[in-house]
Amino acid sequence: MSQLEIKNLHVSIADKEIVKGLSLTIKGGEVHAIMGPNGTGKSTLSKAIAGHPDYTITSGEVLLDGVSILEKEADERARAGIFLAFQYPSEIPGVSIANFLRAALQARLADGEEIDASGYYKRLYAKMDLLKIDRKFTSRAVNDGFSGGEKKRCEILQMAMLEPKVALMDETDSGLDIDALRIVADGVNTMRGPGLGVLLITHYQRLLDYIVPDYVHVMYDGRIVKSGDKNLAHELEAKGYDWIKKELASAKA
Ligand code: ADP
Ligand code: MG
């Protein structure tokens, strides 16, 4: 069973501190949701863990199975088992999904090692069957003219092929229709299991009706200020975030 430990993490962008001492442990099999108002540092957290070069980790630790990943470049972190689902996926006209995924897997192999083509297609088709994706889908160019739902299907298939230990999913729920939400949810629910920990970042409770989280955390001003179970998400949906701000203010006073 894998485990991602985030310990007292501080992250800055252009000398401005955005994540201000955040701790969280995600074990294999667990789904953690982070909710919080806009601008609170949720995307910054996921990009910093994935190794985005614009985000500077000024202190704290991120351990994957007990080993620090902070010295690793983004591609090495991906190879170690961290998967970041992009909020705004890119289009790659002219490159089919099948070839893109093959290149992504090839990139993880050591120099001189080649992906075995028949083994690759066997695995691809097995994952597509698992996720109920039509065979025709992978001959299309990556995200080229895709609907929101098709982009999500592509992303979920990529995740299934890469078999990460930890998936960081930063969702723009606002841009997703119900079909796209279901695609993400069905994919994650299918892959859920001891080998996979999930960090689901979401602004709205809606996604959590489909992917029921084990834990819900509220992030505010760069920190986790409250944690609970799925009921916390319902409470936030009903009451907004102001009561949490008030709680924090009265705790300080
Ligand atoms: P959230 O995902 O919770 O809405 P973000 O992590 O995107 O929050 O942003 C947190 C803060 O960091 C915001 O004030 C935002 O303006 C700032 N920020 C995010 N990315 C950048 C960037 N690349 N350059 C400068 N400031 C940024
Ligand atoms: Mg964000």
Side-chain angles (χ1 to χ4, degrees), residues 68-203:
S68 174
I69 59 167
L70 295 185
E71 298 305 314
K72 296 183 200 289
E73 300 291 331
D75 64 323
E76 293 173 282
R77 294 186 199 189
R79 245 173 273 153
I82 305 272
F83 177 83
L84 176 63
F86 290 107
Q87 203 167 2
Y88 305 106
S90 323
E91 300 187 2
I92 320 179
V95 177
S96 72
I97 294 175
N99 283 332
F100 170 74
L101 292 176
R102 188 169 164 171
L105 288 176
Q106 178 70 52
R108 298 182 134 198
L109 299 179
D111 281 345
E113 263 184 74
E114 258 317 303
I115 273 189
D116 159 61
S118 68
Y120 166 71
Y121 277 99
K122 218 169 144 185
R123 178 155 160 209
L124 178 63
Y125 291 147
K127 297 293 185 188
M128 290 173 75
D129 290 346
L130 182 74
L131 298 168
K132 301 189 185 71
I133 296 175
D134 194 283
R135 290 282 157 91
K136 285 200 288 276
F137 184 65
T138 49
S139 55
R140 294 185 58 187
V142 178
N143 291 330
D144 194 6
F146 277 18
S147 68
E150 287 166 338
K151 283 184 182 169
K152 288 292 146 186
R153 190 168 280 138
C154 185
E155 179 179 279
I156 286 292
L157 180 59
Q158 190 184 345
M159 181 170 148
M161 288 299 280
L162 292 173
E163 294 179 349
K165 292 177 177 169
V166 180
L168 312 168
M169 312 192 73
D170 192 353
E171 295 299 332
T172 39
D173 320 48
S174 48
L176 294 188
D177 59 22
I178 225 61
D179 288 343
L181 272 187
R182 285 230 170 92
I183 288 165
V184 173
D186 289 349
V188 170
N189 289 331
T190 303
M191 284 182 254
R192 240 172 140 155
L196 177 68
V198 178
L199 182 62
L200 204 62
I201 296 172
T202 178
H203 190 62

Side-chain angles (χ1 to χ4, degrees), residues 13-14 16 18 36-45 54-55 170:
I13 313 167
K16 188 176 170 224
I18 306 291
N38 275 326
T40 222
K42 303 184 298 296
S43 296
T44 300
L45 172 70
D54 291 352
Y55 299 78
D170 192 353

